[in-house]
Amino acid sequence: MNLKKLKIGLIDWYIIRKFIGTYTFAILLIVVIVVVFDAVEKMDDFLELNAPLSQIILKYYVNFVPFFINQFNGLITFIAVIFFTSKMAYNTEIIAILSNGVSFKRMMWPYFVSALIITTLSLSLNLFIIPVANKTRIDFESEYLKKGQKNNYEELVYRQISPNTFIAIKGYSNLQKTAEFLVLESYDGGSIISSLAARNVKFDSETKRWKADRYIIRKYIEDKEVLEKKQGLDTMINLSDTEIGKVQNYIQTLNIIKLNRFIKEQIAKGSDMVNTFKVEKHNRFAYPISTFVLTLIGVSLSSRKVRGGTGLHIGIGITLCFTYILFMQFTNEFAKGGIINPGIAVWIPNMIFLIIAAFIYKQAPK
């Protein structure tokens, strides 16, 4: 295509304003509704746990809104495209544009410029801004929401800290930095060769060492168990207190640079949760990039004037969008389970819906 034809003209600016304007309005409308419902749901916790109004607004909702927007960015973009494009088709504006010698391919140009703006914003949020916001939001939930307090730490944590070493921690309290019970197991192949167990274990966040008054070592030699009782446990374990909390919460607080570093550390430890971390990494790129695919589907689907008007287009569009989200969840679970490579699984929905988009594009009015 001639680059001169790609210069943004009056019609292009008109479409871009419609796209970005409808997208912004849809976000603001949905955010207001969600914040109101969320505040009503959590009001009892706010009052019971004496959450200051300033922290509710500045630490929770200011950081909750970007997280919510990014979670549903694809759906909001899709609805925005279908809504205003259907209205243009219903008002015969699409026919007028195409009748003046503008090809359908050329008409897609301002849509993709708008999609690029939204994708760039979404990538910036996903990779750097939202992780910081998530940390503040999760800290607030841990202090002022009962659900957040319950979900922050599991009752029993079981982690792999090296290729042949596993650790189990029960009843860890972040406030007191203590665990009710700790077990450290060493394996040779599939057989356990030794274990260390201690109660009331204290974690020193400065030295990264775990301490207890007494502990027991069990060694397994030729099917025999040798028991040793010792005092004064003071050891460094390849596990920080941040990794004891729910890992899904923790990785949501890491920007892309820290997440890449964390994944390398977990690979070195031989962690069995590496696939989960890789899924999180690839999702941060795949969801924003899907904006282009969903935009192409939205325009191709809603640019034709049909009986049923905007309502029919939005109904079909929402069905397709929720199918995409559901498919993404399925492939994510397959990737976490090690059935499919995370780098492939996360991008499969985009590839399949790109094929669907190409098919719908061919059916669009030219």
Side-chain angles (χ1 to χ4, degrees):
M1 184 181 289
N2 193 324
L3 291 177
K4 290 183 179 180
K5 293 183 179 180
L6 295 181
K7 289 183 179 180
I8 298 178
L10 289 176
I11 295 176
D12 299 320
W13 281 119
Y14 175 74
I15 292 175
I16 291 171
R17 284 198 305 270
K18 285 276 190 179
F19 193 154
I20 301 299
T22 307
Y23 170 81
T24 304
F25 177 77
I27 282 180
L28 292 175
L29 181 62
I30 293 174
V31 163
V32 169
I33 294 171
V34 169
V35 167
V36 169
F37 275 95
D38 187 76
V40 171
E41 179 188 354
K42 296 180 171 64
M43 187 59 69
D44 289 341
D45 281 2
F46 292 156
L47 294 174
E48 186 176 341
L49 299 174
N50 299 316
L53 180 60
S54 60
Q55 293 198 32
I56 293 174
I57 297 172
L58 298 177
K59 286 194 173 182
Y60 183 62
Y61 283 112
V62 167
N63 295 292
F64 170 78
V65 168
F67 171 77
F68 173 81
I69 290 173
N70 208 56
Q71 285 287 98
F72 295 93
N73 183 66
L75 177 61
I76 295 171
T77 303
F78 202 41
I79 292 174
V81 170
I82 288 179
F83 182 77
F84 85 84
T85 305
S86 292
K87 289 191 69 175
M88 288 176 64
Y90 188 77
N91 294 330
T92 66
E93 293 177 80
I94 300 290
I95 295 175
I97 292 172
L98 297 178
S99 298
N100 283 322
V102 178
S103 67
F104 190 79
K105 182 190 292 186
R106 175 60 183 80
M107 194 187 77
M108 288 297 304
W109 173 241
Y111 282 95
F112 281 129
V113 170
S114 303
L116 178 61
I117 294 170
I118 294 172
T119 299
T120 303
L121 174 63
S122 183
L123 278 171
S124 301
L125 288 171
N126 247 356
L127 301 181
F128 299 103
I129 298 172
I130 287 179
V132 177
N134 280 342
K135 186 178 187 312
T136 305
R137 177 180 58 83
I138 291 171
D139 288 345
F140 177 90
E141 290 176 347
S142 300
E143 187 173 357
Y144 294 112
L145 294 180
K146 293 179 180 178
K147 184 178 179 181
Q149 292 173 348
K150 292 178 182 178
N151 290 340
N152 201 30
Y153 285 90
E154 297 172 352
E155 179 63 22
L156 179 63
V157 177
Y158 193 71
R159 298 278 188 270
Q160 184 171 358
I161 59 175
S162 71
N164 296 308
T165 307
F166 295 80
I167 188 170
I169 298 176
K170 181 180 179 181
Y172 181 78
S173 169
N174 188 47
L175 184 63
Q176 299 174 347
K177 300 292 183 183
T178 58
E180 295 176 8
F181 194 67
L182 180 148
V183 176
L184 192 65
E185 300 174 335
S186 297
Y187 288 81
D188 183 8
S191 302
I192 186 169
I193 56 175
S194 68
S195 70
L196 180 154
R199 292 185 178 275
N200 301 319
V201 185
K202 180 81 173 178
F203 177 72
D204 190 326
S205 55
E206 292 185 4
T207 62
K208 308 296 182 183
R209 301 184 75 85
W210 297 81
K211 301 178 182 181
D213 294 334
R214 292 180 295 276
Y215 62 103
I216 297 173
I217 292 180
R218 289 183 172 87
K219 295 181 180 179
Y220 302 90
I221 304 172
E222 297 179 354
D223 297 328
K224 293 182 180 180
E225 180 181 333
V226 179
L227 184 66
E228 299 179 15
K229 295 183 179 181
K230 297 193 175 186
Q231 294 184 348
L233 175 67
D234 185 358
T235 184
M236 183 177 289
I237 298 173
N238 191 19
L239 183 78
S240 67
D241 57 338
T242 54
E243 296 177 69
I244 298 173
K246 288 199 169 180
V247 179
Q248 194 61 41
N249 284 350
Y250 177 62
I251 61 176
Q252 287 179 2
T253 66
L254 302 177
N255 64 38
I256 192 63
I257 297 172
K258 291 181 179 179
L259 180 60
N260 282 330
R261 190 182 305 136
F262 179 73
I263 291 173
K264 288 180 180 179
E265 292 172 356
Q266 295 303 306
I267 292 174
K269 290 181 179 182
S271 172
D272 56 358
M273 296 186 70
V274 170
N275 285 338
T276 300
F277 309 142
K278 287 184 176 180
V279 166
E280 170 70 18
K281 172 185 173 180
H282 286 287
N283 274 335
R284 293 190 185 187
F285 292 95
Y287 274 127
I289 296 300
S290 69
T291 300
F292 289 102
V293 178
L294 296 175
T295 297
L296 180 59
I297 293 176
V299 178
S300 302
L301 188 67
S302 57
S303 58
R304 187 187 299 274
K305 187 176 181 179
V306 296
R307 185 180 300 174
T310 305
L312 178 62
H313 286 150
I314 291 178
I316 297 173
I318 289 177
T319 301
L320 281 172
C321 196
F322 273 109
T323 302
Y324 169 83
I325 294 172
L326 185 63
F327 194 28
M328 177 70 84
Q329 294 301 319
F330 273 121
T331 56
N332 281 356
E333 292 304 315
F334 284 133
K336 291 176 183 177
I339 299 174
I340 309 175
N341 182 287
I344 297 174
V346 172
W347 291 93
I348 285 177
N350 280 352
M351 295 298 102
I352 291 178
F353 274 76
L354 181 60
I355 295 172
I356 294 173
F359 174 78
I360 297 175
Y361 174 79
K362 286 186 177 180
Q363 310 304 315
K366 301 298 190 293

